[in-house]
């Protein structure tokens, strides 16, 4: 009897289950009627891509070594009153004892008062140790209470267009801001606020705004490859920013460490990069190089016998001087891009010798030039 009761109850439960799962509306079986939103049935954690993890790790490390710089210069107005003129910018520590790289224009002015604010909000007065106005570079120093985190300097000579970069700084006073992008171009020449040409600049689309000046431009390993320097136009970022290659700062730093007065080298020529069909059209070797457009009188280049153009032709919308020397290699390294000369000079100082391999009138020769000192 008990066996039959068990079978009867089982049949009832099975029948009820079949009814409920086939007759009730589909939506009621999926979720309670009170639910007014939809989503995954199982909560999932937010996954981060490899690139995002890379950005986060670099920021956590580099932000602690990036500083905010405030300068105050006292000026006289039209009414003979002395008023303070305050400016802000960025910089980054390159040593545990408080040495900081930044732009010269961030700490420019006559006897400026320079204040540095670290990531932990501690503040210090800074002194200017050395300047390189032509490359818009400056080295300043604070005396921190403890050893500080600093950034490693990379090699800007190996940078390629399309390479990922990260910029950290204090745009519009918003400290600790990270932006990312790529290297858009190399070897750009731009004018600073005083009209002085800054050569061999790296162009990037990483957002750079007022206040970013002097901050680090980093590669995906967290090495400093440039110093954020300028933006195109007078306003905010439009996707075209410029950074000074870090290798241009290394000679200045080496001279300071050795107790030497830094003197930027000078060759005394203006050049244009030509190659391929354009070079052949000018009856030059197809591999091209740097075609000399001007040799300054009394310069090291003039003393070494380098020759400028003998006549001018129109190429597109530009006039190009032809008939002068074509520099095809510098110190044995072939010229393969427009900023080859500025890159080579960034590793030298006044008094050094450089060897130029040139093409002149269809003949090849080598010319040694003793570099002079630039008049900054």
């Amino acid at each position: 009897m008990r066996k039959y009761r068990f079978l009867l109850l089982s049949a009832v439960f099975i029948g009820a289950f079949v009814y409920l799962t086939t007759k009730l509306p589909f939506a009621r079986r999926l979720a309670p009627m009170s639910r007014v939103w939809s989503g995954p049935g199982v909560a999932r954690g937010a996954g981060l891509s490899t690139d995002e993890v890379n950005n986060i790790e670099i920021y956590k490390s580099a932000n602690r070594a990036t500083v905010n710089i405030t300068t105050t210069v006292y000026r006289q107005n039209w009414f003979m009153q002395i008023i303070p003129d305050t400016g802000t910018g960025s910089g980054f520590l390159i040593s545990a004892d408080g040495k900081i790289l930044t732009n010269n224009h961030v700490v420019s002015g006559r006897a400026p008062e320079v204040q540095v604010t670290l990531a932990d909000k501690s503040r210090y007065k800074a002194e200017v140790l050395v300047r390189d106005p032509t490359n818009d570079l400056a080295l300043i120093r604070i005396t921190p209470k403890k050893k500080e985190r600093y950034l490693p300097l990379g090699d800007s000579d190996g940078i390629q267009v399309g390479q990922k970069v990260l910029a950290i700084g204090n745009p519009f006073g918003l400290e600790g801001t990270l932006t990312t992008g790529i290297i858009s171009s190399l070897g750009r020449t731009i004018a600073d606020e005083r009209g002085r040409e800054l050569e061999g600049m790296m162009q990037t689309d990483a957002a750079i705004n007022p206040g970013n000046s002097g901050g680090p431009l980093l590669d995906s390993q967290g090495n400093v490859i440039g110093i954020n320097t300028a933006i195109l136009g007078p306003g905010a970022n439009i996707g075209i920013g410029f950074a000074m290659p870090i290798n241009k700062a290394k000679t200045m730093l080496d001279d300071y460490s050795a107790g030497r007065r830094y003197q930027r080298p000078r060759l005394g020529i203006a050049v244009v990069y030509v190659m391929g069909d354009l070079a052949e059209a000018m009856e030059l070797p197809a591999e091209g190089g740097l075609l000399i457009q001007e040799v300054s009188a009394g310069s090291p280049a003039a003393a070494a016998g380098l020759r400028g153009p003998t006549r001018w032709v129109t190429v597109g919308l530009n006039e190009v001087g032809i008939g002068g020397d074509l520099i095809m290699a510098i110190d044995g390294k072939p010229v393969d891009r427009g900023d080859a000369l500025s890159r080579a000079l960034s590793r030298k100082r006044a008094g050094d010798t450089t060897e130029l391999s040139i093409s002149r009138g269809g003949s090849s020769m080598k010319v040694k030039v003793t570099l002079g000192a630039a008049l900054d």
Side-chain angles (χ1 to χ4, degrees):
M1 188 67 178
R2 291 181 178 177
K3 181 179 180 180
Y4 292 116
R5 288 180 180 175
F6 175 77
L7 293 174
L8 180 61
L9 288 173
S10 297
V12 170
F13 281 117
I14 292 172
F17 176 79
V18 171
Y19 175 82
L20 291 173
T21 56
T22 57
K23 298 300 183 180
L24 287 180
F26 183 70
R28 292 182 62 184
R29 286 188 275 120
L30 285 179
M33 289 300 291
S34 60
R35 188 172 180 178
V36 294
W37 52 270
S38 63
V42 179
R44 299 174 183 174
L48 297 173
S49 69
T50 302
D51 190 53
E52 288 173 318
V53 171
N54 179 244
N55 294 342
I56 292 168
E57 290 178 347
I58 290 177
Y59 178 76
K60 286 181 177 179
S61 176
N63 184 53
R64 293 173 58 185
T66 303
V67 306
N68 183 29
I69 299 175
T70 304
T71 59
T72 302
V73 179
Y74 293 92
R75 307 183 188 278
Q76 198 172 53
N77 65 13
W78 287 101
F79 302 100
M80 308 303 289
Q81 297 172 318
I82 302 299
I83 58 173
D85 186 0
T86 302
T88 61
S90 305
F92 55 95
L93 287 151
I94 62 169
S95 66
D97 62 356
K99 293 184 182 67
I100 296 168
L101 265 179
T102 186
N103 285 137
N104 179 63
H105 76 260
V106 172
V107 293
S108 63
R110 187 175 180 179
E113 293 181 0
V114 183
Q115 181 176 270
V116 170
T117 304
L118 303 184
D120 62 4
K121 306 304 180 184
S122 58
R123 296 183 179 181
Y124 298 92
K125 288 186 177 180
E127 62 173 322
V128 179
L129 299 179
V130 63
R131 302 175 185 269
D132 175 10
T134 303
N135 288 318
D136 200 4
L137 298 169
L139 179 67
I140 66 176
R141 178 175 61 193
I142 61 173
T143 305
K145 298 176 183 177
K146 65 181 188 307
K147 290 185 177 180
E148 295 293 340
R149 181 180 290 256
Y150 59 92
L151 297 180
L153 305 187
D155 182 3
S156 54
D157 282 353
I159 299 305
Q160 301 182 61
V161 173
Q163 182 173 332
K164 172 186 169 181
V165 289
L166 305 91
I168 300 180
N170 306 287
F172 301 108
L174 301 172
E175 67 268 13
T177 296
L178 170 72
T179 57
T180 64
I182 62 170
I183 293 293
S184 304
S185 187
L186 297 167
R188 296 297 198 195
T189 298
I190 64 171
D192 66 11
E193 56 189 8
R194 296 186 178 182
R196 180 189 285 119
E197 287 191 342
L198 301 176
E199 299 178 343
M201 301 289 282
M202 299 186 296
Q203 181 183 327
T204 178
D205 66 350
I208 296 175
N209 288 289
N212 270 115
S213 293
L217 187 69
L218 305 147
D219 63 16
S220 57
Q221 304 300 312
N223 302 311
V224 181
I225 57 171
I227 301 174
N228 301 320
T229 300
I231 58 176
L232 183 64
N237 169 68
I238 58 172
I240 302 179
F242 301 94
M244 182 63 67
I246 195 61
N247 284 6
K248 290 203 171 188
K250 290 180 180 178
T251 303
M252 179 185 77
L253 297 176
D254 289 343
D255 281 352
Y256 173 78
S257 298
R260 296 188 296 261
R261 177 176 174 268
Y262 173 70
Q263 289 185 298
R264 188 177 63 87
R266 175 175 179 256
L267 181 57
I269 59 174
V271 297
V272 62
Y273 182 54
V274 297
M275 63 172 296
D277 292 343
L278 177 59
E280 290 183 324
M282 298 178 180
E283 299 183 349
L284 298 171
E287 54 266 45
L290 299 173
L291 184 59
I292 295 180
Q293 300 295 284
E294 179 184 358
V295 178
S296 299
S299 67
L306 292 177
R307 299 178 182 178
T310 57
R311 58 193 179 92
W312 296 82
V313 297
T314 301
V315 179
L317 299 177
N318 301 309
E319 274 195 331
V320 178
I322 62 174
D325 293 335
L326 177 72
I327 301 173
M328 302 185 69
I330 304 171
D331 293 327
K333 187 174 182 179
V335 170
D336 58 358
R337 49 196 251 191
D339 65 341
L341 183 60
S342 63
R343 288 168 57 203
L345 294 182
S346 71
R347 298 186 291 271
K348 295 182 179 294
R349 56 181 57 85
D352 287 350
T353 298
T354 187
E355 183 180 77
L356 306 178
S357 299
I358 66 172
S359 175
R360 176 185 294 171
S363 300
S364 298
M365 62 184 69
K366 293 183 178 180
V367 178
K368 290 188 177 180
V369 184
T370 300
L371 300 171
L375 302 175
D376 294 330

